[in-house]
Every structure is written in structure tokens, then in C-alpha cells.
Amino acid sequence: KLCTWVGEMYLELHNATYTTQGEIKKYNRVGEFLLRDAETAAALACVFGQADYPSDELLRIWKLFLLNQFHDVLPGTSIEPCVYTLVYCRLMIWRKNITKMFTSLPRLSSRPRLRPC
């Protein structure tokens, strides 16, 4: 006799998702790190008076990035194969945008002046 589950299934120890789309999942993880690093670099540049904080640009990039985390994309359970081509293209565009933002940030000078952002 099989068990029956009633109600919401909360998997307390569920830490990962298997996928059939390893490359997309890999770029997603790299993207999480790059966005964190971009926000840190932008905040430091702002605090040290080297640049304004690019909040609008970061928000735009985050929205594009999070769109690719739709619940069927990372585990690879989307019905249409073309979804993965679209997501891969979006991830490449996203990577280009974040690289452009990184290169536009100035290098911190050796004697930075602190300022509130």
C-alpha cells in the first residue's frame, strides 16, 4: 500500500534541483555571483565618491536575470524545447549587459573620499 500525502508538501531538507539543462543552470549560478559582485563594486564606487550608484541599471538587469528563473526553466521541465534557446539567448544578453556595467565603473583611486550614497 502506497502512502498518500495531503496538503502542502514542504521539503525541509530540499537543497538543490536536478536538471536536464546543465548549461543554463551553470550560467544562472555564475549570474548570481556576477550580480552580487556588480552590486558590491557599484556600492564601493559610490561610497568612495568615484561613481553614482546605478540603481536603475541594476534593477533592469536583475529583472531580466530573474525572468530566466521561471519554475520550469532551471529543472528543465518546460514542454517546448524552444524555451531553452530563448533563455540561453537572454542569458548571453544579460552577461553582455553586466560586463558593460562592470567596465563602466571607475577603478577606485588610492586615496578615496568617503561620501554617502
Side-chain angles (χ1 to χ4, degrees):
K1 183 176 177 178
L2 296 175
C3 297
T4 303
W5 191 275
V6 178
E8 177 107 16
M9 184 183 290
Y10 176 69
L11 301 173
E12 190 173 304
L13 301 175
H14 181 73
N15 293 329
T17 302
Y18 290 110
T19 186
T20 61
Q21 301 297 319
E23 193 169 12
I24 288 176
K25 192 167 180 182
K26 178 181 104 179
Y27 279 119
N28 181 75
R29 189 69 178 139
V30 168
E32 290 171 342
F33 286 124
L34 281 174
L35 270 169
R36 181 202 59 198
D37 293 348
E39 288 201 74
T40 301
L44 287 171
C46 179
V47 167
F48 290 125
Q50 303 292 317
D52 292 328
Y53 188 76
S55 57
D56 292 339
E57 181 67 6
L58 280 170
L59 181 62
R60 186 183 70 74
I61 292 171
W62 265 113
K63 285 182 177 181
L64 176 63
F65 181 69
L66 292 174
L67 180 65
N68 293 318
Q69 292 189 350
F70 184 71
H71 70 93
D72 283 345
V73 172
L74 292 180
T77 56
S78 287
I79 296 171
E80 294 292 324
C82 63
V83 168
Y84 302 111
T85 302
L86 176 64
V87 169
Y88 184 78
C89 289
R90 283 186 192 149
L91 284 168
M92 294 302 105
I93 292 167
W94 169 86
R95 189 174 81 175
K96 182 179 176 183
N97 288 338
I98 199 72
T99 302
K100 181 180 171 187
M101 195 191 91
F102 256 127
T103 56
S104 71
L105 289 172
R107 293 187 183 270
L108 296 178
S109 65
S110 58
R111 294 181 179 227
R113 293 177 328 198
L114 293 177
R115 70 174 182 153
C117 292

